[in-house]
Amino acid sequence: MLEIKDLHVKLADEDKEILKGLSLRVPSGEVHAIMGPNGSGKSTMSYVLSGKDGYEVTSGSATLDGADLLEMEPEERAAAGLFLAFQYPVEIPGVGNMTFLRTAVNSQRKLRGEEELSAAEFLKLVRTRAKSLKIDADMLKRPVNVGFSGGEKKRNEILQMAMLEPKMCILDETDSGLDVDAMKLVAEGVNALRDGKRSFLVITHYQRLLDHIKPDVVHIMADGRIIKTGGPELALEVEHNGYADLLAEVA
Amino acid sequence: MRRAQALAAKREAAAERLSRGDLPKGGAWITAARENALERLHQMGLPARRDEYWRFTRPEALIAAQAAPVPLMIDEDAPQFGELDRLKLVFVDGVLNVAQSDALAMENVEITTLEQAATQDIHWARDLFGVLESRGQAPVERPLAALNTATATQGLLIRVTGKAPRPISLTYLRADDAGDAVVHHVIRLEKGAELTLLESGPAAARLSKVIEVDVADGASFDHIRTQGRDHGRRALTHLFARIGAEASFKSFSLTVNGALTRNEYVITLEGDDSHATVSGAVAGDGNDGAFHQDDTVFITHAGERCESRQVFKKVLRNGATGVFQGKILVRQSAQKTDGYQISQALLLDEDSQFLAKPELEIYADDVACSHGATVGAIDEDALFYMVSRGVPRRQAQDMLVLAFLSEALDEIDNEAIRDDIQTRLELWVERHSA
Ligand SMILES: Nc1ncnc2c1ncn2[C@@H]1O[C@H](COP(=O)(O)OP(=O)(O)O)[C@@H](O)[C@H]1O
Ligand SMILES: [Mg+2]
């Protein structure tokens, strides 16, 4: 279970508070969605949870199955089971996609004290998982995300997620910029990973992704806090009426 | 007046450094070549700090009459190119060691030592020894190459008449803390001949090396070298090449460690439809004592439709310095030239520096030339992306360093050789990981 309590975060080198008392619980096995206007702090939340530099936590806590995430190095958080599908996946020239995947999988195993996968085991695994996401051999050979289309980058994120088998998956606008077919592929990839224990936090602006990945709970975030939590119907309300009414309610 | 005075001082320094009586003895042809080189040296004088060509690299340590001693390094890495099938020739402290070397013989290749050839009155190398060096003295003077020609007694004369069945590898070992090595090789590839030349090892506390390569029409020369790991070593190398028509020339260098390395390249594409590539990967850490590495390249296009590439990548940390001076000169005759040049440095901290001077000088109207020099730091976004996937920060940074250098290594065509170089680089990165 991911548990965030009254989290306050400011920019490290500027006196600007971005998360202003964020609280959130995602029990294991559940899918939660976060919606909210641009600039409300959704990406910042996912970065802070995964340990990106440049932010300062001034108060509050964030734990994964009771373990203090904020005390860990980013790679330890990953090994502890946290995964972030980036809103803007990064291109890494000169590092092969396959090499990167294998290094990541084995680094996590090492950090957890597990045995590393052999080249053959890894290859077999990556081939089947890539295939279901329609990722071809060429994409696996190319440098990480270099020259990938928007849709290819997002599918590559899901492939990484499938290979790393995290406990807690955060998807930051994974549907943005995808056509319907690509979005379906991504949604299928996510659904294939739902096993009753793994949790998901899906950040999105659109109901259409939630048609495919059915959330148990929907949160609305504004100005660095969760302002409303409800069932799937909350997403439909946003889809029809926008955020204006919800924002007015709390104002 | 100022300039005249400076020149007089440089000439005086040259006269002091070497006079006729100091020249090694030999047969008529080599004596003439050495005397001509001495004359060139006396005309030009020794390089001085004020010289434009030495703006980024101080020449003093290379000029001093005596080399500063440098402790021998016990290099525990597997020997470079050790797994490759090659004709292995070993120099110890700059002198060919027959006992440790294979026989100087291979199909389609004639090899003589400079020592032997020098005793003969006539030799094919007469038309090349000091000749390409001498032509390479304009428009930029390279007095220390002339000094090498005048004084070198060690080196190989290699004539290739067809496809060499195996690479020739020259390994330069050290047995002594102190000392200079002055080595001068002459290589002639006859029409359609092919040779891969491998070089590795530190050679000496201070190395002066000149290679003159004549690549005839349709011939192909591939050169891959690594410069030894001894921290304090200094080296000045010159590679002079003349390239005929429909010929290919490639040279790759790996420099890790060394207090001072300067590699000068003087390449002339004389014939039409030829190709030349010079490339280098550099990894330097100032904490190893000192690290200053300089690639100075001058490529002249005279023939039509030739292609030239310069690809240099340098990773620098802890006060290390990288220098790149690269020029493409396109003569009026050289229509349809395709010239490409890129030099990039990755600085791992703020103490390190990269000094670059890319130059184009073009007299033909129908050419495509591009050049770029960049300096950057580790891409923090890429680094975070990698650690967020569970790769420890140190390892992620090492991967990015190797990725950065891979663009230069990609210039090596032979996969086995490239892997060998890659391994050496990975070991270095691992040792210097922070
Ligand atoms: N590194 C940063 N530097 C400056 N401003 C930032 C930085 N990170 C986030 N912000 C600001 O914080 C706010 C929240 O941004 P973000 O988390 O990206 O919102 P969302 O993902 O909900 O659109 C925005 O006003 C944004 O400009
Ligand atoms: Mg965002």
Side-chain angles (χ1 to χ4, degrees), chain A residues 154-194:
Chain A
K154 297 299 177 83
R155 275 186 279 147
N156 201 33
E157 294 291 286
I158 303 302
L159 174 65
Q160 291 175 16
M161 189 164 90
M163 291 301 297
L164 294 167
E165 302 178 338
K167 286 190 210 163
M168 176 73 230
C169 309
I170 304 174
L171 284 77
D172 191 358
E173 296 201 28
T174 300
D175 54 338
S176 295
L178 296 190
D179 60 32
V180 180
D181 291 339
M183 196 195 61
K184 270 192 189 153
L185 269 177
V186 164
E188 279 165 21
V190 170
N191 287 331
L193 290 171
R194 290 180 71 167

Side-chain angles (χ1 to χ4, degrees), chain B residues 101-304:
Chain B
S101 299
D102 294 340
L104 300 184
M106 189 162 54
E107 195 189 333
N108 293 333
V109 181
E110 296 163 22
I111 312 174
T112 339
T113 64
L114 184 59
E115 244 174 337
Q116 279 171 349
T119 61
Q120 297 166 17
D121 218 25
I122 205 156
H123 193 273
W124 63 263
R126 184 183 60 178
D127 298 331
L128 289 174
F129 185 88
V131 172
L132 295 185
E133 173 260 296
S134 151
R135 281 193 225 157
Q137 296 293 354
V140 184
E141 294 178 345
R142 305 165 199 279
L144 296 178
L147 176 63
N148 176 296
T149 302
T151 56
T153 58
Q154 290 292 318
L156 296 172
L157 310 174
I158 302 174
R159 185 153 164 252
V160 190
T161 51
K163 185 174 161 54
R166 293 184 288 159
I168 295 177
S169 97
L170 310 179
T171 308
Y172 305 100
L173 304 178
R174 296 179 63 203
D176 195 349
D177 285 356
D180 273 294
V182 182
V183 180
H184 193 124
H185 303 304
V186 173
I187 301 168
R188 159 88 182 159
L189 285 95
E190 303 291 353
K191 275 188 184 166
E194 288 176 37
L195 176 71
T196 297
L197 178 71
L198 308 173
E199 293 186 287
S200 61
R206 184 174 65 177
L207 168 68
S208 160
K209 183 169 66 188
V210 167
I211 304 181
E212 296 177 282
V213 191
D214 187 29
V215 185
D217 295 355
S220 163
F221 177 69
D222 205 354
H223 176 228
I224 298 101
R225 67 176 156 187
T226 62
Q227 291 165 311
R229 281 181 48 214
D230 300 39
H231 291 153
R233 65 159 186 81
R234 296 183 172 81
L236 173 66
T237 75
H238 287 88
L239 184 51
F240 295 95
R242 188 206 72 90
I243 302 166
E246 295 175 25
S248 164
F249 171 97
K250 295 193 88 174
S251 176
F252 170 89
S253 297
L254 173 73
T255 310
V256 300
N257 301 0
L260 174 62
T261 306
R262 170 148 155 149
N263 297 324
E264 292 192 26
Y265 300 84
V266 187
I267 316 287
T268 306
L269 288 151
E270 273 183 9
D272 300 335
D273 302 296
S274 287
H275 175 100
T277 296
V278 286
S279 57
V282 172
D285 190 332
N287 278 357
D288 290 335
F291 184 87
H292 183 108
Q293 198 278 354
D294 174 340
D295 288 296
T296 288
V297 184
F298 199 114
I299 295 187
T300 304
H301 281 259
E304 289 184 24

